[in-house]
Amino acid sequence: MFKLTRSDLFREAAYVGGQWSTGNSDAYMEIRNPATGEVVGRVPSLSREEVREAILLADHAFQDFRRWTGKARGAVLRKWAALMLENKDDLAQIMTAEQGKPLAEARGEIDYAASFLDWFGEEAKRVYGETIPAPRDNQRITVIRQPVGVCAAITPWNFPSGMVTRKVAPAIASGCTVLLKPAPQTPFSALALCVLAEEAGLPKGVLSVLTGDAVEIGGEIIRSETVRKLSFTGSTPVGKKLMAECAGTVKKVSLELGGNAPFIVFDDADVESAVQGAIASKFRNAGQTCVCANRFFVQHGIYDAFVNKLTEVVKGMRMGRGTEEGVTLGPLIDSNAFSKVSRLVDEARSKGATVLTGGTQHPAGAQFFAPTVVTDVTNDMTIANEEIFGPVVSITRFSDEQEAVALANSTRYGLAAYFYTSDLNRSVRISEALDFGIVGINEGAVSTEVAPFGGFKESGFGKEGSKHGIDEYSERKYICLGNVR
Ligand code: ADP
């Protein structure tokens, strides 16, 4: 299935308190390659007792790790980043086998994932507090920042490494310890990262990767009084449920949930760059990202030019196994994802939408949905209201700016939005009017470790990346010194 330079990076075990564990029962989960259906490997389904043990070990490790200097924690993170880059090809192969994305994209994700370790490796030295002039002359007020404690991170399958480091790096930089539950479809990328973390000098117990049943593991860590924080990336329904469960122990919570991003093309846009941006934002990871453009709104005057050019590019895209040279689009993650995308396209077609290309299964395999362009989409179609999470461009025509903004904002989600225009004043007006946490103007690729990533409305709250990322893993403590003479 893959030829790794370092075969020890592929681990069929959970990582608990610094030990590799095959679990204390025979229960396991099988992971299949979404491109071929072949079994990639298996990981143990940990029991509740093992999860409780992992929590104890994380708490124990925290008592020591919290006293480390930021400089020392940062050095480990930066070494870990360097090791990821050294082993990029192996990590990319593991990712492509379990997730399906083309190898070039997987390599790109390793760079992206390592960038969070590197960035927060620097930020670890800058978890600044403040001093505040006191209202009484015999008092002194300071504010220090301290790690939250033991944190839980629950991550999705679409970025098996990137979503892990985006949470784990700021937690470690701040001095927390982390219990990570990776998506059941993609545990091997997370486990490979543990091998390298250990090599970089991360102490035992600071990071554990718990494999097994989501509800059992999730339930155990969320009910725990020891776990003080949950960071979750995944679907909105699961996020809402976990947020409610966290109320039981009043955990600090950050949520990165569904998207439904609008992509608006105004008459004055540059067609070439709008098409390029549309491809970048729509087809990354075969359309399976939460910032993927989900609803295209194109103004009358530029409509034909944009749609024709985009359809031509989409028709030329190469879909296939991620290991094949030149392939830019892989499969969907599983058969449920395939059925959902098919259902959305079929329903749109039956309600009057036009399929210009694609719209069916691709010959590459069972879970490959052909790159698709659908026009004449109206708001009564499910495709206009739900996250597609597949390689399908869904286009609606609009007449004026007001209508475009109203259409774009008419969603319960608020993660990313994109628009193309060459009018400076319009770019200011629209960027301020869009109710989304991330706005790309004449840009379709917005993710970077240096900027705060996070949504509004039902897309969640909390920022990942940037100098603000540490806020989610630290508490401000106000210290008042009185009776100073
Ligand atoms: P998707 O699979 O569409 O990305 P999910 O929200 O189902 O979205 O999954 C995201 C992550 O949440 C995965 O790691 C999954 O295992 C986990 N998860 C799903 N349901 C629960 C639950 N009830 N408790 C804890 N974790 C869950």
Side-chain angles (χ1 to χ4, degrees):
M1 177 147 326
F2 34 57
K3 293 190 199 73
L4 303 180
T5 308
R6 276 189 54 177
S7 57
D8 66 315
L9 290 176
F10 180 66
R11 296 288 176 127
E12 293 181 279
Y15 186 66
V16 182
Q19 307 293 334
W20 294 99
S21 162
T22 49
N24 59 13
S25 76
D26 291 337
Y28 64 87
M29 295 192 322
E30 217 165 54
I31 289 85
R32 286 180 183 273
N33 182 326
T36 61
E38 286 171 292
V39 174
V40 179
R42 49 160 74 171
V43 290
S45 283
L46 298 186
S47 65
R48 288 175 189 273
E49 294 75 60
E50 287 166 295
V51 175
R52 283 199 287 270
E53 176 67 15
I55 297 172
L56 278 178
L57 293 168
D59 191 35
H60 186 71
F62 175 63
Q63 302 315 326
D64 182 52
F65 197 54
R66 67 186 307 177
R67 291 198 300 269
W68 280 38
T69 62
K71 185 172 175 174
R73 289 194 298 262
V76 171
L77 286 171
R78 294 205 319 282
K79 184 153 184 218
W80 188 5
L83 286 168
M84 280 191 75
L85 298 180
E86 261 173 46
N87 293 281
K88 192 191 299 186
D89 283 345
D90 281 355
L91 296 172
Q93 282 194 59
I94 293 172
M95 190 188 299
T96 294
E98 64 180 353
Q99 205 279 339
K101 65 180 66 181
L103 269 176
E105 241 183 270
R107 284 194 202 99
E109 183 182 335
I110 299 303
D111 286 335
Y112 177 65
S115 76
F116 286 98
L117 298 178
D118 196 51
W119 171 268
F120 285 109
E122 291 293 338
E123 287 297 300
K125 295 178 278 188
R126 293 188 267 276
V127 187
Y128 298 139
E130 55 192 318
T131 59
I132 297 174
R136 295 192 197 140
D137 64 3
N138 66 348
Q139 285 183 334
R140 298 294 180 272
I141 294 177
T142 52
V143 178
I144 62 167
R145 287 170 69 193
Q146 293 187 301
V148 172
V150 178
C151 299
I154 298 181
T155 51
W157 47 262
N158 57 351
F159 292 95
S161 288
M163 295 301 111
V164 169
T165 57
R166 205 153 83 160
K167 297 182 189 310
V168 168
I172 289 176
S174 167
C176 299
T177 56
V178 188
L179 300 159
L180 169 75
K181 197 210 77 61
Q185 298 90 338
T186 58
F188 294 121
S189 293
L191 292 164
L193 292 189
C194 295
V195 177
L196 300 177
E198 208 173 279
E199 254 167 66
L202 196 70
K204 288 188 187 309
V206 172
L207 172 64
S208 286
V209 173
L210 310 176
T211 56
D213 183 77
V215 177
E216 275 201 14
I217 295 176
E220 208 55 55
I221 49 187
I222 288 170
R223 275 192 301 276
S224 165
E225 289 172 21
T226 308
V227 178
R228 295 312 315 148
K229 148 102 196 174
L230 169 70
S231 175
F232 170 80
T233 297
S235 61
T236 298
V238 174
K240 286 180 180 176
K241 185 172 160 291
L242 300 184
M243 183 179 170
E245 288 173 7
C246 282
T249 48
V250 196
K251 284 188 196 354
K252 196 172 161 81
V253 176
S254 41
L255 301 172
E256 205 260 272
L257 309 175
N260 201 12
F263 188 109
I264 310 170
V265 185
F266 289 102
D267 279 348
D268 56 26
D270 176 71
V271 178
E272 289 291 328
S273 75
V275 167
Q276 239 176 45
I279 297 287
S281 112
K282 176 75 247 183
F283 289 97
R284 182 141 173 245
N285 205 12
Q288 304 172 106
T289 90
C290 42
V291 291
C292 270
N294 206 54
R295 301 169 294 149
F296 285 77
F297 301 114
V298 186
Q299 202 164 9
H300 276 306
I302 200 170
Y303 189 88
D304 288 340
F306 177 80
V307 172
N308 292 342
K309 179 85 198 145
L310 181 72
T311 308
E312 187 189 310
V313 177
V314 172
K315 280 183 176 162
M317 292 182 108
R318 257 194 75 193
M319 180 165 250
R321 293 184 188 182
T323 45
E324 280 169 35
E325 201 59 43
V327 157
T328 52
L329 280 176
L332 296 176
I333 190 70
D334 54 28
S335 55
N336 287 340
F338 184 92
S339 309
K340 180 186 172 187
V341 175
S342 295
R343 179 172 52 78
L344 291 177
V345 173
D346 289 347
E347 190 226 28
R349 200 190 260 130
S350 74
K351 286 188 171 168
T354 312
V355 177
L356 294 182
T357 183
T360 53
Q361 187 183 333
H362 186 275
Q367 282 167 212
F368 289 83
F369 195 88
T372 298
V373 178
V374 184
T375 55
D376 306 318
V377 171
T378 50
N379 241 346
D380 61 322
M381 299 173 187
T382 316
I383 202 168
N385 299 293
E386 271 187 28
E387 257 191 319
I388 303 170
F389 247 59
V392 179
V393 181
S394 153
I395 305 180
T396 303
R397 199 189 283 257
F398 74 89
S399 338
D400 61 34
E401 203 175 287
Q402 250 184 334
E403 186 191 0
V405 171
L407 281 166
N409 285 342
S410 67
T411 170
R412 293 162 76 161
Y413 297 101
L415 187 56
Y418 309 86
F419 65 94
Y420 277 70
T421 181
S422 52
D423 179 334
L424 180 62
N425 292 311
R426 174 177 271 163
S427 74
V428 173
R429 275 196 309 274
I430 304 294
S431 60
E432 290 173 0
L434 289 168
D435 296 331
F436 293 82
I438 302 164
V439 174
I441 309 173
N442 298 334
E443 178 58 67
V446 288
S447 295
T448 159
E449 78 280 12
V450 307
F453 186 106
F456 291 176
K457 294 157 73 177
E458 292 186 28
S459 288
F461 50 82
K463 301 295 176 198
E464 296 194 308
S466 82
K467 67 175 182 179
H468 305 292
I470 300 242
D471 289 349
E472 310 296 332
Y473 298 90
S474 60
E475 299 276 24
R476 287 185 163 77
K477 182 183 280 176
Y478 151 45
I479 301 171
C480 181
L481 174 66
N483 289 300
V484 177
R485 276 170 283 159

